[in-house]
Amino acid sequence: MKKLAVFASGNGSNFTAIVEAVKAGIIQATIDCLICDRKEAYVFTRAKEAGVEAFYFNIKAYDSKNDYEQAIVAVLKEKGIDGIVLAGYMKIIGETLLKHYPNKIVNIHPSLLPDFPGKQGILDAFQAGVDKTGVTVHIVDAGVDTGPILAQQSVEILKEDTLESLKKKIHQIEHDLYSKTIQNFLQNL
Ligand code: GRF
């Protein structure tokens, strides 16, 4: 059984969906730890409820991003982690993590990449007035929201949609699409 670490920075609805997908046998791997860079993130509560060991890393406590990532890698190696699942992790993955986990880090982004990369993919698509956006799951490389695409699913933006209703639709798609795609991604590990 492959061992996964989930990285998250905030609410963690995708974290919970992944944990549930493991329980349901949709993802045939174990979630061995949560790595989080924000102390107050709600995802810590979710990890506690799910019985997943959680680690907080404060980048300010390190001299460089390299040192910060080295500290994370030390935990991952100690736990025998095979692959990393980013679920709302708000930092760009640096060269240290990429070197230790080449093609073994997967990300979910709330737009149809290459459209609307960056921190606010849902808002950017909504404000651009496009009639379609969606969700992309991709392998992480050195770019921001670049890297080989594993799966995409689109969603219409209807006239009556608000930013909130669009967010809700996107998250629903994410929770389903990410679990199925993570199961396929396990072949890379
Ligand atoms: C998701 O929209 C994901 O696509 C993006 O960050 C958000 C995380 O949401 N990368 P949550 O914390 O999993 O609820």
Side-chain angles (χ1 to χ4, degrees):
M1 202 67 117
K2 297 292 179 189
K3 294 182 171 195
L4 300 174
V6 177
F7 285 29
S9 303
N11 175 27
S13 70
N14 280 283
F15 169 83
T16 297
I18 292 162
V19 167
E20 293 300 322
V22 168
K23 275 192 207 154
I26 297 165
I27 300 174
Q28 285 157 6
T30 54
I31 307 300
D32 288 74
C33 64
L34 167 75
I35 303 290
C36 181
D37 61 326
R38 288 195 187 151
K39 204 171 188 178
E40 71 288 356
Y42 184 64
V43 71
F44 278 117
T45 305
R46 294 178 184 269
K48 197 170 180 192
E49 278 168 11
V52 173
E53 193 175 3
F55 296 87
Y56 167 59
F57 286 93
N58 177 5
I59 197 165
K60 291 184 184 148
Y62 300 89
D63 288 339
S64 66
K65 185 158 186 177
N66 179 46
D67 287 356
Y68 162 78
E69 289 197 342
Q70 282 292 355
I72 294 175
V73 166
V75 168
L76 301 182
K77 295 292 175 187
E78 199 262 324
K79 298 192 80 64
I81 297 296
D82 298 297
I84 298 172
V85 174
L86 306 183
Y89 178 66
M90 298 305 281
K91 283 189 170 51
I92 294 164
I93 296 294
E95 57 187 27
T96 302
L97 275 162
L98 281 172
K99 188 180 75 194
H100 286 278
Y101 288 91
N103 297 316
K104 293 180 178 187
I105 307 176
V106 67
N107 182 42
I108 189 160
H109 182 78
S111 77
L112 293 176
L113 291 171
D115 293 342
F116 309 112
K119 283 190 175 170
Q120 37 183 35
I122 305 177
L123 179 67
D124 290 345
F126 188 75
Q127 287 182 339
V130 292
D131 55 14
K132 193 178 85 171
T133 184
V135 173
T136 303
V137 180
H138 66 97
I139 301 285
V140 175
D141 66 9
V144 177
D145 299 327
T146 56
I149 290 175
L150 300 179
Q152 282 188 311
Q153 192 171 324
S154 62
V155 63
E156 272 184 79
I157 305 181
L158 305 171
K159 278 199 182 71
E160 59 267 32
D161 267 321
T162 60
L163 181 59
E164 280 315 305
S165 69
L166 180 61
K167 277 185 186 167
K168 206 169 162 189
K169 288 198 281 191
I170 296 259
H171 288 313
Q172 270 167 5
I173 292 172
E174 284 186 340
H175 297 162
D176 183 45
L177 185 70
Y178 210 10
S179 298
K180 288 180 190 154
T181 312
I182 289 167
Q183 174 58 23
N184 293 333
F185 162 75
L186 295 176
Q187 294 167 8
N188 291 21
L189 307 181

